[in-house]
Amino acid sequence: MCKYGEIALKGLNKSHFESTLSKEIKGRISRYGSFTVTRAQSTIYVVPNDDGINSEAVFSELCKIFGIATVCRAARTEKDMDNIISTLKEYIPRFLESKKTFKATAKRADKRFPLTSPEIAAAAGRAVLECIPNIKVSLENPDVTVTVEVREKYAFVHADASKAAGGMPVGSAGRAMLLLSGGIDSPVAGYMMAKRGAKIEAVHFESFPYTSEAAKEKVLELARIMSDYCGPIRVNCVSVTEIQERLRNTVDEEYFTLLLRRCMMRISARIARSRYCDALVTGESLGQVASQTMLAMGVTDPAAGMLVFRPCIGLDKEEIIETARKINTFETSVLPYEDCCTIFTPRHPKTRPELSKVLEQESRADLSELEDRAFEMADAVIMKMYGD
Ligand code: ATP
Ligand code: MG
């Protein structure tokens, strides 16, 4: 049983969110076998069509799908107390091994059911005490909660309700183009946008031979890891070698990074439009480096000409790392490969740039033809989980 969080609060377009979520669920679990996916009462039921599916793997996959607030593996039974109790006695003990304390709860969505919720819970509690020796009741802080839910057609019993990924179903909030470097921050930024329902695509800038094949492989691997939560990610790879060389040869050193970043914004926005994305996403965090001061972002933003999201903007590095660890990107992000932003870096980058001076420098570099070429030469790889 997959229960939704925020979607349940949606009004008229709730069914749009629900069908996006059902579709996502079906796509994500198909590699584990055949399932029937139905929905009722703010819950999506995922019923395996055969025995012998790897329920542990399906369960952990479901826990990573945005839009689902809680997941539990439940046994379904007819709606009378005899059946409920015998199903509970047969199904629940496997979840109570090595547990010392439990609590029984009940939810009665069908108000015509003859017993009240406290009465059902009491009966469930007695049944657990009868079949598990030495287990004790703890209402305050139980090791496990055994739940009986009496719903419209059937009753369900479960004992492993887990907090899932939360957020909104991927794709329900449009498409966004993530500027994906090999660092810690941008994968986290992509994850945060996907969590709110954005379908993520990525653009990665490389600068071969200054950046290596290994650096690019690392970025593709990050996209693959992210796809665990975000779904398959198309990574558009763009070479900025010529642009960087041109900048190095024509502009004052202190403007180099800012101008490169403006150029990355322009090319990313072009790719975004060509891929039907309505916004860019970066991993910038206020004050983290010279190019991430308010004034520096103020001169790079206008180059995008489209909405730019910076979901990490108010996070400390420690907080970003915490999320990177949770989504498994951290270990890959810290592999020591160069990024195009770390070559030719100025000794004294401008932290308080003025737009007029930046534009004057930019005109010296005369980048438009090089940018056209970089855009046209971009190639793309789709990254997804192994086995998908
Ligand atoms: P990150 O940890 O995400 O690399 P950072 O703190 O190292 O971020 P910068 O290198 O200044 O910061 O980059 C800021 C943002 O610019 C990144 O979060 C990313 O969105 C984008 N970016 C940087 N380098 C690249 C690149 N090579 N390709 C695509 N986007 C990039
Ligand atoms: Mg970086």
Side-chain angles (χ1 to χ4, degrees):
M1 292 168 86
C2 306
K3 304 188 183 184
Y4 1 119
E6 239 178 283
I7 305 177
L9 309 174
K10 293 278 168 199
L12 288 178
N13 47 8
K14 179 173 165 185
S15 72
H16 163 68
F17 288 97
E18 290 179 311
S19 59
T20 309
L21 182 56
S22 294
K23 205 168 128 214
E24 182 71 12
I25 290 176
K26 285 180 196 158
R28 291 278 284 273
I29 59 177
S30 62
R31 64 182 148 131
Y32 298 105
S34 156
F35 299 87
T36 302
V37 177
T38 55
R39 54 182 206 248
Q41 297 178 304
S42 295
T43 302
I44 292 184
Y45 297 89
V46 175
V47 183
N49 293 332
D50 325 295
D51 294 341
I53 58 125
N54 183 345
S55 84
E56 202 62 51
V58 176
F59 185 69
S60 82
E61 188 75 43
L62 291 169
C63 284
K64 290 183 201 147
I65 297 179
F66 292 129
I68 302 175
T70 6
V71 184
C72 50
R73 277 172 290 181
R76 188 171 73 182
T77 160
E78 297 302 321
K79 272 167 52 172
D80 61 80
M81 273 325 270
D82 285 350
N83 268 309
I84 292 173
I85 294 303
S86 64
T87 305
L88 185 151
K89 284 184 167 171
E90 187 199 325
Y91 180 67
I92 293 299
R94 73 196 77 184
F95 297 100
L96 303 190
E97 278 166 23
S98 76
K99 299 287 193 299
K100 292 199 175 68
T101 58
F102 83 103
K103 167 172 110 173
T105 62
K107 290 183 194 147
R108 193 181 58 138
D110 174 6
K111 299 297 174 207
R112 291 164 310 176
F113 193 74
L115 271 65
T116 63
S117 298
E119 286 166 349
I120 305 168
R126 278 194 302 275
V128 171
L129 290 169
E130 272 167 38
C131 60
I132 312 284
N134 301 328
I135 197 157
K136 298 214 159 45
V137 175
S138 162
L139 298 181
E140 242 85 275
N141 193 18
D143 294 337
V144 58
T145 300
V146 174
T147 304
V148 177
E149 299 194 34
V150 180
R151 295 190 155 223
E152 217 166 80
K153 283 203 199 125
Y154 297 101
F156 298 85
V157 293
H158 56 82
D160 67 345
S162 279
K163 196 164 175 278
M168 298 296 285
V170 163
S172 65
R175 296 166 56 81
M177 186 63 71
L178 169 69
L179 280 77
L180 181 62
S181 68
I184 299 168
D185 309 331
S186 44
V188 170
Y191 162 85
M192 289 172 79
M193 291 301 294
K195 180 168 182 182
R196 293 306 303 164
K199 175 71 193 156
I200 295 294
E201 242 191 64
V203 53
H204 174 65
F205 295 96
E206 55 194 350
S207 192
F208 194 73
Y210 303 106
T211 62
S212 62
E213 195 55 38
K216 177 175 173 173
E217 286 302 321
K218 163 180 160 175
V219 172
L220 295 180
E221 174 65 8
L222 283 172
R224 194 187 63 71
I225 300 170
M226 288 172 70
S227 74
D228 210 5
Y229 283 94
C230 309
I233 298 181
R234 177 182 157 117
V235 185
N236 302 277
C237 299
V238 181
S239 168
V240 284
T241 311
E242 289 182 322
I243 290 169
Q244 291 196 277
E245 287 172 341
R246 172 76 62 82
L247 287 171
R248 183 191 57 187
N249 297 337
T250 54
V251 307
D252 293 349
E253 187 193 281
E254 56 192 358
Y255 287 95
F256 176 87
T257 307
L258 277 176
L259 291 174
L260 176 62
R261 299 196 60 75
R262 278 176 58 86
C263 170
M264 286 165 51
M265 287 298 202
R266 273 191 299 271
I267 298 175
S268 300
R270 256 171 102 167
I271 296 179
R273 284 188 203 98
S274 75
R275 296 288 309 157
Y276 308 101
C277 294
D278 296 319
L280 300 182
V281 181
T282 80
E284 289 161 303
S285 158
L286 187 62
Q288 197 186 80
V289 291
S291 62
Q292 295 172 24
T293 63
M294 238 186 257
L295 291 174
M297 288 187 278
V299 303
T300 45
D301 223 47
M306 76 192 308
L307 179 61
V308 181
F309 287 115
R310 297 177 169 88
C312 298
I313 199 73
L315 297 181
D316 292 348
K317 196 79 192 183
E318 268 313 306
E319 294 169 309
I320 298 174
I321 289 174
E322 199 180 301
T323 304
R325 286 194 194 280
K326 184 177 104 182
I327 64 172
N328 269 325
T329 51
F330 182 77
E331 298 297 328
T332 305
S333 287
V334 295
L335 296 173
Y337 296 117
E338 62 299 323
D339 179 60
C340 71
C341 282
T342 57
I343 57 174
F344 310 149
T345 44
R347 277 157 295 179
H348 302 291
K350 276 266 178 231
T351 53
R352 302 183 57 79
E354 283 171 42
L355 186 57
S356 60
K357 296 213 172 98
V358 172
L359 293 176
E360 192 263 313
Q361 291 277 329
E362 196 165 75
S363 68
R364 284 197 214 173
D366 192 16
L367 294 174
S368 69
E369 231 171 84
L370 294 184
E371 284 181 13
D372 287 349
R373 189 146 72 219
F375 172 74
E376 276 148 26
M377 304 279 285
D379 60 10
V381 202
I382 295 172
M383 300 308 294
K384 49 190 178 186
M385 290 311 290
Y386 298 126
D388 259 5

